Amino acid sequence: MALYDLAGARDEGLLDDLVTFAAELCATPTAVVSVVETEAQVFLSRTGTDLEGTPRSQSFCAHAMQGARTMEVPDATQDARFADNPLVTGTPHIRFYAGAPLTTREGISLGAICVLDAAPRDGLTPFQTRGLEILATTAMARLETRRAAREQREQRKSAARARAALADSEMRFRTLADTMPQMVWSTLPDGFHDYYNARWYEFTGVPSGTTDGAGWNNMFHPEDQERAWQVWRQSLSTGEPYQIEYRLRHFDGTYRWVLGRALPIRDDAGQITRWFGTCTDIHEQKLALEEREIISQELSHRIKNIFAVIGGLIQVAARAHPSLAPLASDLRQRIAALGRAHDFVRPHSPRSRPSVHQDSLRGLLDELLAPYQSRPGERVTITGADVHVDDRAATPLALLFHELATNASKYGALSNPEGQVIIDIDTRGTQSHIRWQERGGPRVDAEAKPEGFGSQLIELSAVRQLGGTISRNWPVEGLELLLEVPTASFSRAHRS
């Protein structure tokens, strides 16, 4: 009922003429427009009575509003619904009542327009009944007009509040965006750039609006433009977050490395309504990273050369002392294995980087065991899972598997052209299990197990450096060795 502003309608006398005419039409001393609420009925307009309303329990109109047509009560004292009503037994001593319901456009009854008399009557004439119903329709039409006007005012106020809130939000966003150290931009769902913050124009030095639409790509380094377009189109077509590093033209004419990122904003239906992105100047960090990579590559390259120099020195010493040649040969092979392991995990340039991921245990084993076969899998087969390794684990792993392969080539499976070695890697919880199995070599004599410095080196690598355990079994088919190592020992990444 609040939609109709009924109190305002009463105060303005909106329905007073209709009530006066109803009393004249029906020749009654009293006429009322009543709105029935939960606990009471309120008179919006009245003539012939000083009452402004009554409790709902005493309301005749509460009954009239339940029907679709006019309700008449010829003599209230003879009607069981009203005979004990205080308005009948006392002032104003109602006897005759006729009321037509007031019904909203949604079919909801608000009350009635009614006429009353203190004397019984046979009823209204058909003309009076029709007239009273027309007056009810007219009363509701005026109330509906008032409601529509009120709704329009509320809509205008709501729209004004929404515009004010939007303007305030826009101002807050622009203030926040302009104070950010990053360049901020926004696009329509199709990728059309329509906003850049002040930082963008300060960085690039271009006039405002010149990079709207697709003009932004012209600010990129020519070598980065096509790649940037491809990444941006991919995000637009899939809705995936946008991220790319590229060189952006600075106002001084140079190009600086920038990290570009963007995320889509979606509505309740999941449709993209806008893209918001940032550009962060990472030029100094990029240069520092490149410098560190160059230094790291140079150091690693020199370490690799040191391995070669040591191997060369051992060879020269062996020539001067022929009796040490076998020992020198073994030592050079161990150093060569360490060199291969270091070369696998060291920092590389894009050209020198191995084809296999440098954090792969399987890749490291392939590299270490390559001298024992002409092609991968010919003599040594690696099965099972893979484990991440780093430079700390590479050295003990290189020593351990080099010794196993050396022993196998001297005494075991690799000493026989038909012999095979199977390495199986299994990870279980926090432990990794690596099983070395030799097959097809000379039959093993359980009493003649090779022992010596190499075996001690295996124990040193597995136990002291990797924190694992080694168990050996000597079936006639060949050596079976099980290495159990905490997975965290292979890589720093497993510890974090």
Side-chain angles (χ1 to χ4, degrees):
M1 295 186 185
L3 294 173
Y4 294 95
D5 185 21
L6 299 178
R10 179 186 58 211
D11 296 340
E12 295 172 12
L14 181 68
L15 306 177
D16 288 354
D17 59 333
L18 301 182
V19 167
T20 299
F21 184 69
E24 293 175 358
L25 174 67
C26 298
T28 58
T30 305
V32 170
V33 172
S34 173
V35 172
V36 181
E37 299 177 342
T38 303
E39 302 294 335
Q41 68 173 349
V42 178
F43 298 157
L44 297 186
S45 184
R46 65 189 188 280
T47 182
T49 179
D50 294 330
L51 294 175
E52 296 183 352
T54 71
R56 180 179 178 124
S57 60
Q58 300 177 11
S59 172
F60 281 65
C61 293
H63 295 271
M65 65 187 285
Q66 302 301 321
R69 305 300 299 273
T70 300
M71 183 187 84
E72 295 186 24
V73 180
D75 186 351
T77 61
Q78 304 301 312
D79 193 313
R81 294 173 294 174
F82 308 109
D84 297 329
N85 192 308
L87 299 178
V88 175
T89 60
T91 305
H93 301 289
I94 296 174
R95 295 296 180 268
F96 175 73
Y97 170 90
L102 302 176
T103 305
T104 69
R105 63 191 183 203
E106 292 86 9
I108 300 172
S109 296
L110 297 182
I113 180 171
C114 64
V115 293
L116 305 103
D117 199 339
R121 294 176 55 167
D122 291 336
L124 299 178
T125 66
F127 177 74
Q128 291 172 328
T129 299
R130 179 61 180 155
L132 191 62
E133 291 175 352
I134 291 174
L135 290 174
T137 302
T138 303
M140 277 308 308
R142 293 184 183 181
L143 291 176
E144 292 290 355
T145 300
R146 188 177 187 84
R147 170 185 173 179
R150 181 181 178 86
E151 288 176 343
Q152 290 177 358
R153 289 194 300 272
E154 291 299 325
Q155 289 174 356
R156 287 194 293 270
K157 290 180 181 179
S158 178
R161 288 193 295 268
R163 287 193 297 270
L166 181 60
D168 181 67
S169 176
E170 179 74 10
M171 181 188 69
R172 290 174 182 270
F173 168 75
R174 289 182 178 273
T175 301
L176 176 63
D178 286 343
T179 56
M180 291 179 64
Q182 287 97 348
M183 293 164 270
V184 179
W185 49 271
S186 176
T187 81
L188 299 177
D190 61 0
F192 184 92
H193 286 67
D194 61 354
Y195 169 76
Y196 297 90
N197 71 338
R199 176 65 178 144
W200 168 268
Y201 295 109
E202 292 172 4
F203 184 95
T204 59
V206 299
S208 177
T210 56
T211 51
D212 288 354
W216 57 274
N217 199 42
N218 296 327
M219 302 301 299
F220 292 7
H221 192 284
E223 296 177 0
D224 299 337
Q225 290 181 9
E226 181 59 31
R227 178 171 58 91
W229 265 117
Q230 290 177 357
V231 175
W232 180 230
R233 291 193 192 101
Q234 173 71 11
S235 293
L236 290 177
S237 63
T238 63
E240 298 173 352
Y242 169 77
Q243 179 165 320
I244 186 175
E245 292 182 3
Y246 54 84
R247 287 162 289 182
L248 182 65
R249 190 169 69 224
H250 195 245
F251 67 84
D252 63 6
T254 62
Y255 286 92
R256 295 181 64 85
W257 280 102
V258 167
L259 172 62
R261 288 175 172 167
L263 289 173
I265 305 299
R266 301 178 184 272
D267 58 20
D268 294 339
Q271 297 299 313
I272 295 176
T273 58
R274 287 197 76 79
W275 285 84
F276 279 98
T278 59
C279 301
T280 305
D281 186 346
I282 59 170
H283 193 70
E284 305 303 332
Q285 300 94 308
K286 188 80 171 179
L287 293 182
L289 181 63
E290 290 177 353
E291 290 175 0
R292 286 197 298 270
E293 185 174 351
I294 291 173
I295 293 172
S296 179
Q297 290 177 10
E298 180 62 21
L299 288 174
S300 293
H301 182 69
R302 294 191 180 189
I303 292 172
K304 180 182 179 182
N305 289 340
I306 290 173
F307 282 121
V309 169
I310 293 174
L313 291 174
I314 293 172
Q315 185 175 10
V316 170
R319 289 173 183 170
H321 301 84
S323 61
L324 298 177
L327 176 61
S329 177
D330 287 346
L331 188 55
R332 286 185 60 219
Q333 290 180 19
R334 291 184 180 111
I335 291 174
L338 291 176
R340 289 196 298 274
H342 168 76
D343 193 52
F344 182 79
V345 297
R346 73 178 176 90
H348 283 266
S349 68
R351 292 183 179 180
S352 67
R353 183 171 292 112
S355 59
V356 181
H357 286 293
Q358 291 178 261
D359 60 356
S360 165
L361 173 58
R362 297 183 65 164
L364 176 60
L365 293 177
D366 281 335
E367 185 73 18
L368 292 171
L369 301 174
Y372 299 94
Q373 51 189 358
S374 59
R375 62 179 184 276
E378 180 185 31
R379 304 291 304 279
V380 181
T381 304
I382 303 174
T383 62
D386 200 357
V387 180
H388 292 287
V389 295
D390 61 15
D391 55 326
R392 290 188 180 182
T395 298
L397 287 170
L399 290 174
L400 190 154
F401 283 98
H402 169 73
E403 292 302 323
L404 288 174
T406 299
N407 290 336
S409 65
K410 291 180 178 180
Y411 317 110
L414 298 182
S415 66
N416 186 331
E418 305 300 324
Q420 296 283 326
V421 173
I422 301 171
I423 303 174
D424 182 67
I425 306 170
D426 183 21
T427 56
R428 304 175 189 175
T430 59
Q431 292 288 114
S432 291
H433 301 251
I434 305 176
R435 186 178 299 277
W436 172 283
Q437 294 179 297
E438 299 183 22
R439 295 289 184 269
R443 292 178 64 83
V444 174
D445 183 357
E447 300 298 325
K449 303 172 185 175
E451 295 288 349
F453 178 71
S455 297
Q456 295 176 17
L457 197 58
I458 291 174
E459 294 287 346
L460 176 66
S461 301
V463 179
R464 295 188 183 181
Q465 295 184 270
L466 293 175
T469 61
I470 281 185
S471 59
R472 294 180 178 86
N473 186 26
W474 298 89
V476 294
E477 294 84 359
L479 169 66
E480 291 186 358
L481 179 143
L482 177 62
L483 170 64
E484 297 185 53
V485 178
T487 304
S489 297
F490 286 122
S491 170
R492 300 175 184 88
H494 293 300
R495 301 186 184 100
S496 59

